[in-house]
Amino acid sequence: MTTGAQLRVGLAGLGTVGVGVCKLLAKNAQALEKRCGKKLVITAVSARNRYKERGVDLSGVTWYKDPLALATAEEVDVVVEVMGGSGDPAKALVEAALRAKKPVVTANKALLAEHGRALAQLEEETKTALCAEAAVAGGIPILKTLREGLAANTIFELHGILNGTCNYILTEMLETGRDFAEVLQEAQTLGYAEADPSFDIDGVDAAHKLTLLSAMAFGVEVSMRDTFVEGIRKINAVDIAYATELGYRIKLLGIAKRHEDGRIEQRVHPCMVPKHAPIAKVDGVFNGVVIQGDFVDKIVMEGRGAGAGPTASAVVADLVDIARANTSPLFGQPASLLGPLRSLPLGQRSGTFYVRLMVVDRPGVIAEVSAILRDEQVSLEALLQRGRAPGEAVPVVFTTHDTNEAAMQRALQSISRLNSVIEPPQMLRIESF
Ligand code: NAP
Ligand code: HSE
């Protein structure tokens, strides 16, 4: 696989991550050579635009117009796929490289969330490593931690802030009062966002990562189909202010739990979390992951979840493992042993909720709302109405005790049909951890 004292890298993608990898390999070349016992050298690259200035020295490196050529290029021992996208050419390149017995490093969670099981099977069949540390939580070595450091445990719950762009937006909205669109633009400029930023703000990117964590933690198939996904578009300054007043922070979380009957709950949505919880203090582009194992108890990891440097750190860590011949199966166990995912439907879970209604300020409105909550067995924890604007719209906020989610959804549908309720109710799940 290697030639002399070199591991020759074919790099597909020269965007935020690809350029970050070039810079890291150049800056830390000597230390890496000592740690790996060989030089890590980029010998071939591919991107769409050959003439774009990238701020890195690619002289002497072979340029391929077609990224698939890296899979069979004579001067390439290992392929790094950082183009992105769940289809071709990324998928075709990863498959071709594995078939050509060239280990692959990818940062592509979209690809793995959709084709993870098939690619892990190909990894097994070809006996060629497929590594993806950068695909989850940027610079945090969370896959290695689950696969190696926590290998002795049965994991029953994990949750995390898995999207740097969303966390950056929510933090900036809280701290500076700036609006959603302006902060998103800034996150894109900083290289945090996906090529299609709706993947970030609609929760899809976090869901991709959650499915990979679940597969590894619970030994089940990667399944987007069984994941509830809701993003942060509906979060506004009013709810951020109420959350603060009630002692919470709003975070986009990915949550995966294995219940005693073996069913798995997998969901991504904005949550209110107590402001003193470790995850509430993870701000800006940082990601945080909390894992609960039966013997280790709870561990918390935090680090930068996006951007050139942290992601390159994870990509190159995989290259180091490959250079040292120290790799493990993608999901920590043979793909053939990954079980089916039996999911717990969202409606069957229970939890506590924050609800904000915009209602007409007139007598009897709270009585109408309370009657609906009573009929659905929703028990109120607190109710807040401020201000006085007879005949006009005022916010009414309440939080609930533990409630079945389906009952809460039915109650919200009935409430939204009341004449006195003038906007669709805003509902956020509260997680106490
Ligand atoms: P990016 O900045 O958009 O860069 C993508 C690169 O791939 C560009 O160099 C582009 O070429 C090249 N490319 C795209 N389609 C191609 C094609 N059909 N043929 C050849 N080259 C092609 O993306 P990125 O932010 O670096 O992300 C890359 C991957 O890393 C994605 O899977 C992403 O999800 C993942 N990731 C990103 C981050 C992050 O913080 N950005 C963090 C973790 C994981 P041109 O430059 O010529 O257009
Ligand atoms: N767009 C992703 C994020 C990049 O914001 O977290 C890291 O996967």
Side-chain angles (χ1 to χ4, degrees), residues 15 23 41 72 107 118 158 165 174-176 183 186 196 247 259 293 315-316 329 346 350 368 386-387 396 409 428-429:
K23 288 182 178 166
V41 186
T72 47
L158 60 88
T165 301
L174 171 69
E175 289 179 356
T176 68
V183 187
E186 192 173 84
D196 175 357
H259 291 257
V315 167
V316 175
L346 195 66
S350 44
E368 290 174 326
R386 291 266 169 67
V396 168
Q409 296 286 3
L428 291 166
R429 296 170 187 84

Side-chain angles (χ1 to χ4, degrees), residues 84-118:
S86 60
D88 295 339
K91 177 169 174 280
L93 173 59
V94 171
E95 289 169 344
L98 292 176
R99 289 208 175 94
K101 301 257 180 205
K102 294 188 182 180
V104 175
V105 176
T106 181
N108 192 337
K109 53 267 172 161
L111 172 71
L112 295 176
E114 207 164 305
H115 305 289
R117 185 172 198 151

Side-chain angles (χ1 to χ4, degrees), residues 1-3 7-11 43-44 64 67-81 91-106 119 122-131 319 322-323 327:
M1 185 189 75
T2 55
T3 304
L7 181 72
R8 300 169 306 168
V9 178
L11 180 62
T43 50
Y64 287 95
L68 257 71
L70 295 173
T72 47
E74 194 274 325
E75 73 280 14
V76 169
D77 301 313
V78 50
V79 168
V80 172
E81 184 284 302
K91 177 169 174 280
L93 173 59
V94 171
E95 289 169 344
L98 292 176
R99 289 208 175 94
K101 301 257 180 205
K102 294 188 182 180
V104 175
V105 176
T106 181
L119 291 173
L122 189 58
E123 176 193 37
E124 204 174 319
E125 272 163 46
T126 58
K127 298 186 174 53
T128 305
L130 172 57
C131 306
L319 287 175
I322 290 166
T327 57

